[in-house]
């Protein structure tokens, strides 16, 4: 293809992309892909020494849309010259030095990624808000912008002034919105742009946008520097978020960029680079403008974190909690220097919401430390096929059940589930079997057919002999560790069972109250829920667990493996050695509270009155137990006496 043909083709494609982006807020490629093609066109134009009439390089932003009233800005909104590396930034600095003799003070600030807005204030009131449009004429979106809560509609400065900034959607707000939205937003930038360029301001209001002010365009008032403009914006009550610095040299400017790039994944809003400007307004006038942008400012762009690529297939991964997670297999794509071929689709509900299908071109976002994520469809493919909901677990074949947005494997024999249970049983806060990791669990499951903790506790040298990585010493160590772990405490054992919702602390509290596993196993829901920190749901879980035949059999078999429990340390107190019966309802204490007080002070709570009982704590409506106590001549106390004894 000759160069002219290529230029025509590039211009056409870029114009179509820009139209979709600016006029319909429906981008079909990532910024990085747009920029790459744009740069190719630019360099061809420089090479050939001319540009096509319809070249997007003549334009700033998109043409304003007919549906909004249009308005000419008092001061032109320029776009920014860009650099992608420190070398290019240093070349820019060299041009500045050439223009004014030496490198002047520079300001450094974030480059927000949202929709640029221009706000006109007059007489201290916000009278018009418009989009940037083509830089000269924008669309009037005053009603929409008025819905931004923190935006000052009145300022103390009474002259005519245009405040420029970015309408952005905070990431926390985006997550909140998407959690309940029928149509999730693909990204924060799009979410902000779509909210403002919507004819219905109530839609804008629902999104909950922010306005980050960063510049003053036209003004009756003279400002001497960028730093002074920023001060003004802060004083007038605008949201001026993000780091800002005034630096004397190239090195400091580059350091600002480095630190910002590191901070970027932690920010609550999108930025795609930093902006460097000559601080002094007088010097800016000296340096001047090109047709498109000021020569005294430059945007240093960070590496891309979003691209588009084709979704080739979806596989389902079973997690340790038996959850099925859809993993997207992608046509490999370079995102900021890293090749990505897999991404998460989070869950089945997310697939339905995002309407992603196999074969579609999708947006994929990669931030530091996080698994790349598909955020939405860029271009639908005609031949695309739906991602099917698996009916059966891909690992064990058991039926899958749907709970909310999630799918779960119901199989008892599902490998990830078994391995995770074994791992939990042996973990430090549970049985604490030294040297037994999830990896060991996986190996023993695969190679010895180990199915549960009973198998684990019954391991022999014979089972382990000849396994990869199991020398004599390792076998001896593991068997010794298992032996040692068999002497444990009741709360560790209870925690090791992995009953839904029973953590370390709850297991301790239960054992503190009921003393033994046997007693917990027969306790009623009421008695269980009387324990501090255990609500009805947890109590029911524990109750149900021990009523399930399979579970109670499992516990019995485990205990039969030679598990012994440490004696619970005896607590000393006013009730030491005393057996106490509770009857009737007490004026202030719940039954569980009174029981805890007795036990914490060395006493034991007995269920029925007999000669061996030392004390009866009686409340209102005490029935036959009280009569029997009287008959046997057992000391009877009420709540007040009880408190006195405790010194409360
Ligand atoms: Zn399964």
């Amino acid at each position: 293809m000759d160069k002219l043909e290529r230029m025509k083709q590039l211009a056409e494609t870029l114009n179509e992309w820009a139209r979709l982006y600016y006029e319909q807020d429906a981008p079909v490629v990532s910024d990085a892909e747009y920029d790459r093609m744009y740069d190719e066109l630019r360099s061809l134009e420089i090479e050939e020494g001319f540009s096509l009439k319809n070249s997007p390089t003549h334009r700033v932003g998109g043409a304003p849309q007919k549906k909004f009233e249009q308005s000419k800005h008092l001061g032109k909104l320029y776009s920014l010259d860009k650099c992608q590396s420190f070398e290019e930034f240093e070349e820019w600095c060299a041009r500045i030095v050439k223009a004014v003799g030496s490198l002047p003070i520079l300001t450094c600030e974030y480059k927000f990624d949202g929709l640029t807005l221009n706000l006109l204030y007059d007489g201290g009131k916000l009278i018009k808000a418009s989009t940037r449009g083509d830089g000269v004429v924008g669309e009037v979106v005053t009603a929409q912008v008025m819905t931004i809560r923190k935006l000052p509609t009145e300022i103390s400065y009474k002259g005519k002034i245009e405040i420029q900034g970015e309408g952005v959607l905070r990431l926390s707000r985006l997550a909140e919105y998407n959690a309940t939205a029928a149509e999730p937003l693909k990204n924060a930038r799009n979410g902000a742009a779509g909210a403002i360029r919507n004819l219905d301001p109530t839609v804008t209001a629902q999104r909950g946008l922010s306005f980050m002010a960063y510049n003053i365009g036209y003004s009756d008032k003279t400002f001497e520097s960028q730093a002074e403009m920023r001060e003004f914006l802060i004083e007038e009550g605008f949201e001026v978020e993000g780091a800002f610095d005034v630096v004397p040299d190239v090195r400091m400017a580059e350091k600002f960029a480095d630190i910002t790039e590191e901070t970027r994944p932690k920010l609550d809003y999108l930025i795609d680079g930093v902006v460097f400007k000559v601080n002094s307004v007088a010097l800016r006038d000296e340096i001047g403008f090109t047709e498109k942008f000021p020569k005294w400012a430059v945007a240093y762009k960070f590496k891309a974190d979003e691209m588009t690529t084709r979704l080739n297939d979806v596989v389902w991964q079973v997690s340790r909690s038996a959850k099925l997670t859809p993993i997207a297999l992608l046509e490999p794509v370079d995102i900021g220097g890293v090749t990505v071929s897999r991404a998460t689709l989070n869950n089945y509900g997310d697939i339905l919401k995002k309407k992603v299908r196999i074969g579609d071109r999708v947006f994929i976002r990669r931030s530091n430390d996080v698994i790349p994520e598909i955020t939405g469809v860029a271009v639908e493919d005609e031949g695309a096929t739906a991602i099917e909901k698996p009916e059966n677990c891909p690992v064990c074949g058991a039926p899958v059940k749907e709970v909310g947005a999630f799918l779960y494997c119901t199989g008892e024999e599902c490998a990830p589930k078994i391995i995770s249970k074994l791992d939990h049983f042996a973990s430090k806060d549970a049985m604490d079997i030294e040297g037994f990791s999830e990896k060991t669990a996986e190996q023993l499951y695969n190679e010895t057919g180990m199915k549960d903790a009973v198998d684990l506790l019954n391991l022999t040298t014979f089972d382990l002999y000849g396994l990869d990585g199991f020398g004599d010493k390792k076998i001896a160590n593991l068997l010794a560790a298992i032996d040692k772990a068999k002497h444990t405490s009741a709360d560790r054992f209870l925690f090791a069972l992995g009953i839904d919702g029973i953590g370390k602390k709850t297991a301790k509290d239960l054992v503190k109250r009921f003393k033994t596993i046997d007693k917990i196993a027969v306790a009623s829901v009421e008695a269980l829920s009387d324990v501090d920190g255990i609500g009805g749901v947890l109590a029911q879980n524990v109750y149900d667990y021990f009523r399930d035949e399979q579970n109670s059999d499992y516990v019995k078999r485990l205990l039969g493996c030679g598990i012994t429990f440490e004696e619970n340390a005896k607590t000393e107190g006013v009730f030491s050695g005393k057996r106490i019966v509770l009857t009737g309802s007490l004026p202030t204490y719940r039954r569980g509270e009174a029981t805890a007080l007795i036990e914490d002070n060395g006493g034991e709570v007995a269920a029925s009155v007999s000669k061996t009982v030392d004390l009866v704590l009686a409340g209102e409506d005490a029935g036959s137990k009280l009569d029997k106590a009287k008959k046997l001549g057992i000391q009877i106390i009420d709540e007040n006496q009880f408190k006195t004894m405790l010194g409360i």
Side-chain angles (χ1 to χ4, degrees):
M1 190 185 302
D2 74 3
K3 284 181 182 162
L4 180 64
E5 272 307 302
R6 179 65 182 157
M7 282 166 75
K8 276 185 188 160
Q9 191 187 52
L10 289 169
E12 218 165 275
T13 309
L14 286 165
N15 284 337
E16 176 59 10
W17 284 352
R19 193 184 65 78
L20 290 166
Y21 180 100
Y22 285 111
E23 292 168 27
Q24 301 195 355
D25 297 315
V28 292
V29 288
S30 66
D31 287 359
E33 286 162 295
Y34 182 92
D35 289 350
R36 192 187 299 153
M37 215 176 244
Y38 185 93
D39 291 345
E40 187 189 340
L41 180 60
R42 273 286 293 277
S43 46
L44 279 172
E45 288 176 353
I46 292 164
E47 227 178 284
E48 298 296 295
F50 79 97
S51 59
L52 296 163
K53 233 187 184 152
N54 70 343
S55 171
T57 59
H58 300 303
R59 223 169 355 96
V60 181
Q65 239 180 303
K66 295 281 182 293
K67 64 178 179 182
F68 289 99
E69 188 196 324
Q70 301 186 9
S71 158
K72 195 163 187 285
H73 306 303
L74 297 181
K76 182 174 172 182
L77 278 82
Y78 288 91
S79 70
L80 286 172
D81 194 4
K82 277 181 227 157
C83 60
Q84 307 267 10
S85 66
F86 284 157
E87 274 144 47
E88 284 177 35
F89 170 61
E90 285 157 22
E91 283 165 20
W92 176 83
C93 291
R95 290 198 291 276
I96 299 290
V97 172
K98 211 170 159 196
V100 291
S102 63
L103 190 71
I105 300 277
L106 299 177
T107 58
C108 321
E109 58 192 80
Y110 289 178
K111 186 173 182 298
F112 295 101
D113 199 4
L115 183 73
T116 304
L117 294 168
N118 189 36
L119 314 183
L120 175 65
Y121 288 81
D122 198 2
K125 289 203 166 63
L126 172 62
I127 57 166
K128 199 195 303 168
S130 41
T131 65
R132 179 165 71 181
D134 62 7
V136 178
V137 175
E139 304 147 336
V140 178
V141 287
T142 315
Q144 286 76 3
V145 166
M146 286 284 200
T147 69
I148 298 175
R149 260 199 243 144
K150 281 195 182 165
L151 182 79
T153 50
E154 286 184 33
I155 59 175
S156 64
Y157 179 68
K158 300 292 178 229
K160 229 181 218 180
I161 191 166
E162 280 182 337
I163 312 286
Q164 298 164 2
E166 201 87 348
V168 302
L169 185 56
R170 287 177 185 275
L171 300 178
S172 52
R173 184 58 209 129
L174 173 71
E176 248 173 60
Y177 181 87
N178 277 352
T180 56
E183 286 270 333
L185 300 168
K186 284 172 199 170
N187 62 39
R189 185 201 333 105
N190 235 233
I196 289 169
R197 304 177 78 245
N198 193 300
L199 286 173
D200 181 1
T202 59
V203 172
T204 324
Q206 282 160 10
R207 300 258 171 107
L209 301 185
S210 304
F211 176 77
M212 311 288 198
Y214 52 66
N215 201 30
I216 290 164
Y218 174 87
S219 168
D220 293 338
K221 179 178 158 74
T222 359
F223 292 91
E224 282 179 5
S225 68
Q226 187 68 36
E228 196 189 327
M229 289 181 204
R230 187 177 163 94
E231 272 312 304
F232 174 87
L233 293 172
I234 294 171
E235 273 166 25
E236 290 289 9
F238 288 93
E239 269 193 276
V240 180
E241 218 170 311
F244 179 85
D245 213 348
V246 179
V247 299
D249 60 42
V250 178
R251 207 84 30 233
M252 298 272 282
E254 291 176 350
K255 196 171 168 202
F256 180 90
D258 275 339
I259 292 172
T260 304
E261 194 158 14
E262 258 171 56
T263 320
R264 181 189 189 193
K266 296 184 201 116
L267 297 175
D268 193 28
Y269 40 81
L270 296 180
I271 61 171
D272 57 357
V274 294
V275 179
F276 299 113
K277 292 176 187 163
V278 169
N279 189 33
S280 154
V281 170
L283 281 176
R284 287 179 183 183
D285 293 341
E286 238 176 89
I287 298 165
F289 293 82
T290 70
E291 172 199 6
K292 266 189 88 174
F293 43 71
K295 291 183 192 166
W296 43 262
V298 68
Y300 171 79
K301 295 266 279 184
F302 293 148
K303 284 199 185 97
D305 60 358
E306 188 181 64
M307 289 300 269
T308 63
T309 190
R310 186 177 184 273
L311 173 62
N312 286 336
D313 205 357
V314 170
V315 292
W316 296 83
Q317 217 167 52
V318 185
S319 77
R320 300 207 281 146
S321 56
K323 205 180 269 173
L324 268 65
T325 305
I327 306 292
L329 306 182
L330 307 163
E331 203 137 288
V333 59
D334 183 305
I335 307 180
V338 176
T339 304
V340 174
S341 57
R342 288 162 75 89
T344 179
L345 271 159
N346 298 317
N347 55 60
Y348 186 65
D350 225 32
I351 291 176
L352 296 180
K353 264 192 175 181
K354 290 175 179 164
K355 301 192 173 78
V356 179
R357 296 182 309 159
I358 293 168
D360 282 340
R361 225 178 151 71
V362 293
F363 282 106
I364 166 151
R365 173 168 287 278
R366 177 187 157 266
S367 6
N368 293 1
D369 316 325
V370 184
I371 314 167
E373 188 193 4
I374 287 182
T375 54
V377 177
V379 186
E380 285 176 27
D381 187 277
E382 271 180 33
T385 53
I387 297 166
E388 282 189 35
K389 182 170 85 176
E391 297 293 331
N392 296 88
C393 170
V395 177
C396 71
V400 161
K401 89 179 159 195
E402 197 168 353
V403 182
F406 302 100
L407 302 176
Y408 291 92
C409 165
T410 57
E412 283 302 322
E413 307 272 297
C414 194
K417 258 166 98 170
I418 291 175
I419 291 164
S420 129
K421 262 183 155 172
L422 282 167
D423 179 43
H424 173 77
F425 184 83
S427 65
K428 204 156 175 32
D429 292 325
M431 298 297 276
D432 193 17
I433 301 176
E434 228 183 294
F436 188 89
S437 64
E438 193 189 347
K439 242 180 96 189
T440 325
E442 194 175 349
Q443 188 184 4
L444 295 184
Y445 168 82
N446 286 325
E447 295 175 25
T448 73
M450 180 185 283
K451 284 226 161 53
D452 59 22
V454 175
D455 292 344
L456 171 60
L457 294 181
N458 287 325
L459 269 183
T460 62
T461 310
F462 182 74
D463 297 321
L464 298 169
Y465 189 76
L467 293 186
D468 196 28
F470 278 86
D472 290 349
K473 198 166 170 212
K474 188 164 173 184
I475 292 176
N477 284 347
L478 180 58
L479 293 179
I482 292 171
D483 241 15
K484 191 174 159 214
K486 283 181 184 172
H487 186 63
T488 186
S489 61
D491 59 286
R492 277 177 179 278
F493 180 80
L494 182 63
F495 176 59
L497 292 178
I499 302 170
D500 244 8
I502 304 302
K504 214 164 69 170
K505 165 101 175 40
T506 322
K508 270 204 172 109
D509 291 343
L510 282 167
V511 168
K512 197 171 164 206
R513 169 62 41 81
F514 295 99
K515 303 291 184 255
T516 67
I517 299 292
D518 291 347
K519 281 188 183 154
I520 293 169
V522 299
S524 66
V525 174
E526 293 74 46
L528 288 164
S529 58
D530 251 354
V531 177
D532 273 347
I534 297 193
V537 177
L538 276 190
Q540 190 68 48
N541 275 356
V542 176
Y543 182 86
D544 290 346
Y545 181 89
F546 288 105
R547 298 307 172 290
D548 180 287
E549 217 173 290
Q550 238 177 332
N551 290 336
S552 66
D553 177 59
Y554 171 62
V555 174
K556 234 179 261 164
R557 287 191 297 128
L558 275 176
L559 292 171
C561 293
I563 287 178
T564 55
F565 296 115
E566 294 162 2
E567 281 284 314
N568 293 304
K570 284 234 157 57
T571 35
E572 294 295 317
V574 284
F575 299 128
S576 282
K578 291 209 158 70
R579 302 190 71 219
I580 302 168
V581 165
L582 293 169
T583 179
S585 55
L586 300 170
T588 62
Y589 288 131
R590 286 190 306 139
R591 203 180 173 81
E593 290 168 327
T595 306
L597 283 168
I598 292 166
E599 290 177 351
D600 288 348
N601 288 281
E604 186 194 332
V605 176
S608 58
V609 178
S610 68
K611 276 187 206 162
T612 60
V613 168
D614 301 287
L615 209 58
V616 169
L617 173 54
E620 231 174 278
D621 298 327
S624 60
K625 285 183 190 172
L626 185 60
D627 298 338
K628 197 170 177 192
K630 280 179 183 160
K631 236 180 252 169
L632 289 170
I634 296 169
Q635 188 187 351
I636 296 161
I637 56 170
D638 63 11
E639 191 184 272
N640 277 333
Q641 288 167 296
F642 178 65
K643 282 184 178 168
T644 312
M645 289 173 88
L646 287 166
I648 304 175

